[in-house]
Amino acid sequence: PDNFIRVLEQNGLLNEYTYWAIETVLQQAKYWNTERSLRIAVNLSPQILMDPDFIKNMDRIIGDKDNGKYLTFEITENLFLSEYESLSGVLEYVCNLGVHLSIDDYGTGYSSLSRLIKLPVNEIKIDKSFVKNVDTNKDDEAVVRSTIDLAHNLGLTVVAEGVEDEAAMNVLRKYNCDIAQGYLISRALPAAEFEKFMKDY
């Protein structure tokens, strides 16, 4: 992604690609949800959220809560700080379509508690830099523990990124982290292999 997203940006194609990705993900999620209930997360760049046609395209692609319930949009923590005033209305609109909102890479930026309370956020993703050594680094453990406590007190779900071994998973279980994401569970898979993974899981 680091390579092809940069190329898309350089050629002015990132917005077109993102709208295609959201539409494709939604169709895939609706297909998978015939057997089980799940949401698929899509990372959104600041550029796409600032697009004047973003809301119009969300109406076209998602339309209503019947479709929005299949999607989560992940937005970096720094975006909440730098563009909070201009984006709050857009984020509220998206949430009214039933889409969940997730703060990606939490802990690496400067979002304040007051803004977390105001925003229609459903989920916080603890950055992998804090998770990687959570079983051996007391400072990282303190960040993870306090973030989980804070998020749960605000009624938010917590996802730990970059979980690569059982030692880290055990710490996350200890502090009641809701969801783990990382190579311990699975690497990225093509759709057909993911279907098999879900059946075997």
Side-chain angles (χ1 to χ4, degrees):
D2 290 341
N3 293 329
F4 74 76
I5 288 176
R6 184 171 62 251
V7 173
L8 290 169
E9 289 174 334
Q10 292 169 348
N11 290 277
L13 296 171
L14 186 60
N15 286 6
E16 182 180 344
Y17 167 78
T18 303
Y19 292 131
W20 170 85
I22 295 171
E23 193 164 5
T24 302
V25 162
L26 177 58
Q27 294 307 312
Q28 185 68 67
K30 291 169 74 173
Y31 171 73
W32 279 335
N33 272 274
T34 58
E35 295 186 7
R36 64 174 68 200
S37 177
L38 57 81
R39 286 177 179 265
I40 301 181
V42 181
N43 291 87
L44 297 188
S45 70
Q47 177 180 317
I48 195 74
L49 288 168
M50 301 295 283
D51 180 10
D53 293 327
F54 180 76
I55 289 179
K56 181 177 74 174
N57 277 290
M58 292 304 94
D59 282 337
R60 175 180 63 83
I61 296 169
I62 301 173
D64 55 36
K65 291 184 177 181
D66 286 340
N67 289 322
K69 66 185 179 183
Y70 299 120
L71 298 172
T72 295
F73 286 165
E74 295 185 7
I75 303 168
T76 59
E77 181 183 359
N78 284 331
L79 184 61
F80 286 105
L81 180 69
S82 61
E83 302 293 347
Y84 169 70
E85 296 300 334
S86 58
L87 291 181
S88 58
V90 173
L91 299 177
E92 288 280 1
Y93 189 87
V94 166
C95 288
N96 286 335
L97 290 175
V99 178
H100 276 191
L101 194 62
S102 176
I103 300 180
D104 198 15
D105 302 329
Y106 184 81
T108 59
Y110 306 96
S111 60
S112 69
L113 178 60
S114 61
R115 286 184 180 174
L116 285 181
I117 293 173
K118 288 181 186 178
L119 287 166
V121 176
N122 305 96
E123 177 182 280
I124 288 177
K125 301 187 73 174
I126 304 175
D127 187 71
K128 60 185 178 183
S129 62
F130 299 105
V131 176
K132 183 178 180 181
N133 299 311
V134 69
D135 59 309
T136 57
N137 187 305
K138 293 300 180 185
D139 291 337
D140 289 347
E141 183 180 0
V143 169
V144 168
R145 182 184 68 248
S146 61
T147 300
I148 293 171
D149 287 344
L150 168 64
H152 285 170
N153 286 333
L154 294 174
L156 304 177
T157 300
V158 183
V159 179
E161 299 179 304
V163 181
E164 298 186 359
D165 53 52
E166 287 289 349
M169 182 69 90
N170 288 336
V171 174
L172 296 169
R173 289 192 185 103
K174 175 182 175 182
Y175 296 122
N176 297 313
C177 185
D178 301 293
I179 300 171
Q181 171 185 324
Y183 291 161
L184 177 65
I185 300 161
S186 176
R187 292 182 177 269
L189 299 172
E193 291 183 30
F194 180 66
E195 290 175 19
K196 183 178 184 303
F197 174 82
M198 285 196 296
K199 289 178 181 177
D200 295 342
Y201 191 71

